[in-house]
Amino acid sequence: MTEHYHTWQEILSQPQVWLATLRGFVSAQSTLEEFLDQASFDHILVAGCGSTHYLAQTAATTLTHCTDISASAFPSSELWLVSNAVFADRTLLLAISRSGTTTETLRALRRFRESNDGPVLAVTCYPESTLAQQADFVLAAPAAQEQSVAQTRSFTSMFMLIQALVAALAHDEEKLERLHRLPDALTSLVRRLGDLPQQLGENRSLDRFFFLGGGPFYGLANEAMLKTKEMSLSYAEAYHPLEFRHGPMSMVNQGALVVGLLSDAGRAEELRVLADMKELGASTLALSEDDLSLADSSLDYLVEMHSGLGEWERGPLYLPILQRLAYHRAIAKGLNPDQPHNLTSVVRL
Ligand code: F1P
């Protein structure tokens, strides 16, 4: 019975939690806009750990592409410990943490405060947490709080907040309205998905998983890799799509599933990588927006989002499929996905 695991319920609940999170954002939007207007910055440093570091990678790429502000992502530990971590002037620190209590992120914030007078914006699921108390502004997704160690709805809901922040920084009200399509798009996607994630998760002839994503999908490919490791103790790696040919594809064989988180701009070349990996014996799965005829490609599996959103907005839809795959693999291996081996939900040093 998979239903009794917290992780399963948390994965299933994402459409309604996304809606609650967007509603929460809208109620905070005017005070956020006031905060952004009075804060003077022209660069954003994005920090997080593990899952939230990978979200920081996606956030930085998206902020840089969709706004007139440059952004860069670091693991919180780098901002805390690396001596030449440069906190340039006129920088905003965007600190992402589900718990708001991870030591490295709190230390990175402290270092930022010691060497910079820039503002701190926190994205967290716990609006009363230490991080929230120490930030100048908080975007919170309390409805996305989880019992499980592995982040699923917390990650995608904080991602929704990041997307909404991008819309606010770009003064793009239409973008914010488009983000409201995502909850329903996920509900219809799940209906179309059927049991594909379960089929793949339970396929024990697969013993290695490679997630390929570029631009905003690179951080998501890393997150999919981490979910697969955390929940199912499986061999998993993540790369930029064309990087995979430069050595890591040496690990491809008949036991490999290569998953392409397809972009719009790079899709033709990304599909070529998947076709090459199929030649090497891998099974291939593509996540794409739509209009990708299976007949034109050698893909083994294809999941189309049909969201009507571009590559810089549909990212949250790519994760639930891969969360489900990891979950079903954990169950097939007799593991408890709520309690990953060796892990706790917060790393406190
Ligand atoms: C981050 C973290 C991750 C880990 C797992 C649990 O905590 O510990 O390092 O991958 O997802 O969460 P947080 O700072 O986001 O609370």
Side-chain angles (χ1 to χ4, degrees):
M1 283 284 283
T2 64
E3 285 69 22
H4 73 277
Y5 284 115
H6 292 300
T7 306
W8 184 243
Q9 297 306 326
E10 288 155 3
I11 290 170
L12 287 184
S13 65
Q14 287 178 103
Q16 57 265 33
V17 171
W18 289 4
L19 202 52
T21 300
L22 285 172
R23 284 183 181 141
F25 177 85
V26 169
S27 61
Q29 188 176 353
S30 55
T31 47
L32 170 68
E33 285 164 353
E34 283 167 23
F35 166 73
L36 295 174
D37 289 345
Q38 56 80 29
S40 62
F41 59 94
D42 47 29
H43 182 71
I44 297 178
L45 268 182
V46 198
C49 298
S51 287
T52 40
H53 168 222
Y54 301 139
L55 180 53
Q57 290 175 332
T58 290
T61 308
T62 306
L63 283 161
T64 302
H65 181 275
C66 299
T67 74
D68 57 0
I69 302 166
S70 65
S72 44
F74 292 90
S76 298
S77 54
E78 287 287 291
L79 298 184
W80 167 29
L81 297 173
V82 174
S83 56
N84 65 350
V86 178
F87 296 129
D89 289 341
R90 294 177 53 74
T91 294
L92 177 141
L93 175 65
L94 175 56
I96 310 175
S97 174
R98 167 179 65 177
S99 64
T101 60
T102 296
T103 301
E104 292 136 86
T105 302
L106 297 177
R107 297 281 172 82
L109 189 159
R110 185 171 70 184
R111 178 122 186 268
F112 181 79
R113 290 289 198 208
E114 288 164 356
S115 57
N116 197 294
D117 57 1
V120 176
L121 198 164
V123 173
T124 182
C125 294
Y126 291 86
E128 308 306 322
S129 60
T130 310
L131 176 71
Q133 290 167 25
Q134 294 179 0
D136 299 307
F137 196 90
V138 182
L139 289 175
Q145 293 175 5
E146 290 154 329
Q147 301 293 318
S148 302
V149 170
Q151 298 189 14
T152 51
R153 70 185 187 191
S154 61
F155 183 96
T156 55
S157 298
M158 290 189 286
F159 189 5
M160 301 292 280
L161 290 174
I162 296 283
Q163 299 268 42
L165 171 64
V166 170
L169 284 166
H171 305 289
D172 187 344
E173 199 59 36
E174 286 176 11
K175 181 185 180 70
L176 186 59
E177 282 157 25
R178 289 195 298 272
L179 295 178
H180 281 77
R181 292 186 204 163
L182 285 164
D184 284 346
L186 177 56
T187 300
S188 56
L189 169 62
V190 168
R191 213 176 291 125
R192 289 200 312 276
L193 257 184
D195 66 352
L196 177 61
Q198 185 165 355
Q199 270 180 50
L200 291 172
E202 293 175 351
N203 180 344
R204 298 303 296 271
S205 68
L206 298 173
D207 66 3
R208 59 198 68 189
F209 298 82
F210 302 100
F211 301 95
L212 308 181
F217 301 108
Y218 177 60
L220 307 187
N222 274 315
E223 170 60 8
M225 168 277 292
L226 185 61
K227 285 297 88 68
T228 306
K229 282 179 173 166
E230 287 178 332
M231 284 196 220
S232 75
L233 303 182
S234 301
Y235 179 102
E237 295 182 338
Y239 295 94
H240 292 90
L242 277 66
E243 274 296 294
F244 194 48
R245 290 196 186 96
H246 296 273
M249 74 174 180
S250 57
M251 294 302 293
V252 170
N253 63 16
Q254 284 76 5
L257 176 68
V258 181
V259 182
L261 288 77
L262 300 189
S263 67
D264 297 332
R267 186 170 72 185
E269 289 303 325
E270 293 162 358
L271 276 170
R272 283 182 59 191
V273 174
L274 292 177
D276 291 352
M277 297 312 120
K278 183 153 181 64
E279 289 292 309
L280 297 177
S283 299
T284 54
L285 162 65
L287 308 183
S288 180
E289 171 55 16
D290 56 16
D291 72 40
L292 186 73
S293 151
L294 202 53
D296 298 345
S297 63
S298 63
L299 292 168
D300 293 296
Y301 310 97
L302 167 68
V303 176
E304 296 178 289
M305 304 301 126
H306 292 309
S307 66
L309 299 176
E311 60 191 346
W312 297 99
E313 294 170 358
R314 66 171 182 266
L317 292 172
Y318 280 30
L319 284 159
I321 305 139
L322 303 175
Q323 294 164 353
R324 287 162 179 258
L325 195 164
Y327 177 84
H328 286 299
R329 186 164 179 83
I331 299 299
K333 292 176 72 172
L335 299 169
N336 175 356
D338 290 355
Q339 287 298 333
H341 186 233
N342 296 338
L343 302 185
T344 56
S345 57
V346 184
V347 174
R348 287 194 186 87
L349 304 177

